[in-house]
Amino acid sequence: MPHPTRRLLIALAVAALLPLAQQARAETKDLRIAQQFGIGYLPFIVAKERRLIEGQAVKAGIPAPQVEWIQLSGAAAMNEALIAGGLDIASAGIAPMILTWDKTRGTADIIGVVALGSMPNVLTSNNPAVKSLRDFTDKDRIALPSVKVGFQPIVLQMAADQTFGQYDKLDHLTVSLPHPDATAQLLSGQSEITAHFTSPPFVQQQLASGKAHAVLNSYDVLGGPHTFNAAYSTKKFVEANPKTIAALVAALDEANAWIAANPAEAAKLYIAAEKSKLEPAFVEAIIRDPQVRFTTAPERSTVFSAFLFKIGLIKRNPTSWTELFQPGLATKAGS
């Protein structure tokens, strides 16, 4: 029988190791990730098709999670599913993420996990009379993924505030539609939809058709490149699964490096995943566009939060972008 002192040392050693074992068991075995439509979600597509999250998890010393990929349209649907416990990782525009971050403080405690990239969104129109925001009339309808809470409606409000001094001047013209449906209706010319605030590749598809023209570019509204989409979760999930979250960020960094090195292959992956009829060369040109930057570091996120605070949509104005995102991202050069 071990000496009492030896038994005590063994007991202390086991007690010291127990929290580590509990932490390892705490990491989730299943990871449910939701994405929307468009090239802004290409890093997710690459991570999915190349099983990068699983690979990074193993590198981090945890079992590869069973990753379930779900496709939804609009921030509203994302937020409902995340708060209800139907998702682990949601994704939407940076502006609706900030709205949800503020709204759920003290309840679901939504926190940003990682940026998905920076790229301009463009307000297009098939109405030749519409050259600027001042040309819209009550006969026009502007399609957006999620009225009032999505990325595009917030940028439209920012532009309206700059143009009219009234941020909600055009809100009554907006209609909720997924990007693919809005594109089809805009180009058909047979719908009430006369404008669409959208993202790549839908912007390029509409402009290339000759049936629509650009009215507004989000980079002009924000004063430069800005994060378009971000992935986010609940603070509880992030804190319970630090290695899984780190593996997700590492996987997206790996995906972004692969996209930069293999734009032609990335275009093919996107077309297959989205069941798109676009030509590979067309998609590749978008990926190569210098304004389209796949990066996990947030850009100009506090410009969005400052505006949302100004118009009273959020109660707390973060002093730094790091307040909006999980601590593991703080080492990146964000803004």
Side-chain angles (χ1 to χ4, degrees), residues 69-280:
W69 295 89
I70 304 162
Q71 197 160 44
L72 299 172
S73 179
M78 285 284 178
N79 294 340
E80 288 174 7
L82 181 63
I83 293 171
L87 293 176
D88 301 311
I89 303 290
S91 57
I94 183 69
M97 187 208 84
I98 295 170
L99 285 171
T100 310
W101 167 84
D102 182 74
K103 183 179 180 180
T104 62
R105 290 175 66 84
T107 55
D109 281 323
I110 299 300
I111 189 76
V113 171
V114 65
L116 294 179
S118 297
M119 60 190 64
N121 278 229
V122 176
L123 176 61
T124 64
S125 178
N126 63 8
N127 182 350
V130 175
K131 304 297 184 184
S132 73
L133 295 190
R134 294 186 181 278
D135 298 322
F136 282 108
T137 71
D138 287 343
K139 294 181 180 180
D140 291 294
R141 290 295 178 271
I142 304 170
L144 309 160
S146 292
V147 167
K148 294 187 178 181
V149 299
F151 173 88
Q152 291 84 7
I154 296 299
V155 177
L156 183 62
Q157 289 182 336
M158 295 174 77
D161 188 55
Q162 294 169 8
T163 302
F164 306 107
Q166 181 183 343
Y167 75 90
D168 58 355
K169 177 76 171 179
L170 302 175
D171 281 6
H172 67 292
L173 302 181
T174 58
V175 177
S176 293
L177 273 179
H179 288 307
D181 295 343
T183 295
Q185 291 192 32
L186 185 76
L187 297 184
S188 75
Q190 305 299 313
S191 166
E192 68 169 359
I193 302 302
T194 60
H196 182 199
F197 209 158
T198 188
S199 61
F202 307 104
V203 171
Q204 291 81 0
Q205 185 180 0
Q206 292 172 21
L207 298 181
S209 73
K211 298 178 181 179
H213 60 276
V215 177
L216 184 75
N217 185 305
S218 63
Y219 275 15
D220 295 332
V221 178
L222 271 291
H226 58 74
T227 293
F228 172 28
N229 296 317
Y232 52 98
S233 185
T234 63
K235 186 178 180 181
K236 179 180 178 181
F237 183 84
V238 169
E239 291 180 345
N241 300 279
K243 291 185 178 181
T244 301
I245 293 298
L248 172 61
V249 175
L252 293 176
D253 281 331
E254 185 180 355
N256 293 341
W258 186 86
I259 291 167
N262 304 277
E265 290 83 352
K268 293 176 183 177
L269 273 185
Y270 173 80
I271 289 170
E274 295 278 281
K275 297 180 175 59
S276 173
K277 295 181 180 179
L278 296 175
E279 291 295 325

Side-chain angles (χ1 to χ4, degrees), residues 39 42 259-267 280-294:
I39 284 181
L42 181 58
I259 291 167
N262 304 277
E265 290 83 352
F282 184 83
V283 177
E284 181 183 348
I286 298 172
I287 294 171
R288 290 181 179 273
D289 186 335
Q291 288 194 321
V292 175
R293 306 198 312 213
F294 294 104

